[in-house]
């Protein structure tokens, strides 16, 4: 198969992508990102997937909170362990989200490239950042300062779930389109190629 090099100008640098004779990328992850977009940095990718893993831990351990605070039953040792894991993973999410927010401000995209889809994505991302930070903060307050913050903690979790659904749907949309956006956040050797 004949291979040609197609070059794209993006953010002042040239990005080469191997293409086949059909004009399609060699693999589904090699699709060039839309004009002006480059890969996320390895640090951003690691932070993203670390937060995904910790949010999963939060979801798997949240039932233990009710059991450890129940006046009708004595918590089991596993409940106390899960409560502790839930607390510390929540604190870790807060720290990682502050780091992600700092990176996001340092690598802010130019407003001229933002179409309506980009604005919707930015709104969902901003909502997730705010909700995850508020969730970590309300959990810390509920655990160590004032138990009344637990109600806010529960409602923020519902908002996070709704935003996660939108985020996953957006990722699936880009995966189906094969426009290269989905692959920007995938870990792997190509992650070292630079980032937004």
């Amino acid at each position: 198969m004949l291979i040609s090099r197609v070059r794209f100008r993006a953010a002042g640098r040239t990005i080469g992508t191997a293409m086949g004779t059909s004009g399609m990328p060699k693999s589904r992850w090699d699709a060039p990102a839309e004009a002006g977009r480059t890969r996320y940095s390895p640090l951003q990718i690691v932070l993203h997937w670390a937060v995904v893993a910790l949010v999963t831990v939060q979801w798997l351990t949240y039932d233990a909170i009710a059991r450890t605070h129940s006046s009708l039953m004595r918590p089991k040792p596993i409940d106390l362990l899960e409560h502790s894991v839930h607390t510390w993973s929540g604190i870790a999410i807060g720290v990682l989200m502050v780091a992600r927010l700092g990176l996001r401000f340092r690598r802010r995209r130019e407003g001229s490239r933002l179409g309506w889809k980009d604005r919707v994505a930015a709104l969902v991302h901003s909502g997730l950042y705010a909700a995850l930070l508020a969730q970590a903060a309300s959990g810390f307050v509920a655990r160590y300062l004032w138990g009344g913050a637990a109600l806010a903690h529960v409602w923020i979790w519902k908002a996070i779930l709704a935003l996660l659904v939108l985020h996953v749907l957006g990722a699936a949309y880009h995966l189906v389109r094969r426009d290269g956006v989905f692959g920007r956040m995938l870990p792997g050797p190509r992650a070292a190629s630079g980032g937004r």
Side-chain angles (χ1 to χ4, degrees):
M1 175 169 66
L2 296 174
I3 302 294
S4 62
R5 293 293 284 181
V6 177
R7 299 205 174 267
F8 297 90
R9 286 272 174 199
R13 60 180 127 162
T14 303
I15 301 170
T17 303
M19 304 285 274
T21 54
S22 66
M24 290 298 293
K26 289 169 62 178
S27 81
R28 61 182 153 187
W29 310 125
D30 289 335
E34 293 172 10
R37 294 184 178 183
T38 55
R39 287 186 59 82
Y40 287 96
S41 70
L43 179 57
Q44 287 174 298
I45 293 170
V46 167
L47 289 175
H48 174 271
W49 291 108
V51 170
V52 169
L54 289 168
V55 168
T56 303
V57 169
Q58 293 293 94
W59 181 67
L60 293 173
T61 58
Y62 83 96
D63 279 343
I65 307 302
R67 291 194 297 270
T68 55
H69 292 284
S70 172
S71 59
L72 302 175
M73 65 177 75
R74 187 173 181 177
K76 298 176 182 176
I78 188 67
D79 294 326
L80 297 173
L81 175 62
E82 287 185 13
H83 191 300
S84 181
V85 168
H86 188 89
T87 298
W88 286 104
S89 61
I91 292 171
I93 287 171
V95 171
L96 294 181
M97 289 306 300
V98 168
R100 289 194 68 188
L101 194 61
L103 285 172
R104 183 173 175 140
F105 279 123
R106 281 185 56 208
R107 299 173 181 269
R108 187 179 300 171
R109 289 163 55 185
E110 296 88 358
S112 60
R113 291 204 309 257
L114 294 180
W116 72 268
K117 292 177 188 174
D118 294 306
R119 292 183 190 281
V120 170
L123 188 61
V124 171
H125 286 142
S126 297
L128 271 172
Y129 275 73
L132 286 167
L133 285 166
Q135 180 75 341
S138 63
F140 184 87
V141 170
R143 178 75 169 94
Y144 297 108
L145 302 173
W146 177 56
L151 183 59
H153 193 65
V154 170
W155 280 102
I156 295 168
W157 174 243
K158 294 178 189 300
I160 289 171
L161 290 178
L163 289 165
L164 283 176
V165 167
L166 293 174
H167 185 60
V168 170
L169 286 174
Y173 167 78
H174 288 296
L175 178 61
V176 169
R177 283 189 66 204
R178 298 174 130 189
D179 57 11
V181 174
F182 184 86
R184 293 171 61 220
M185 191 52 87
L186 289 180
R190 282 189 290 265
S193 63
R196 172 169 91 75

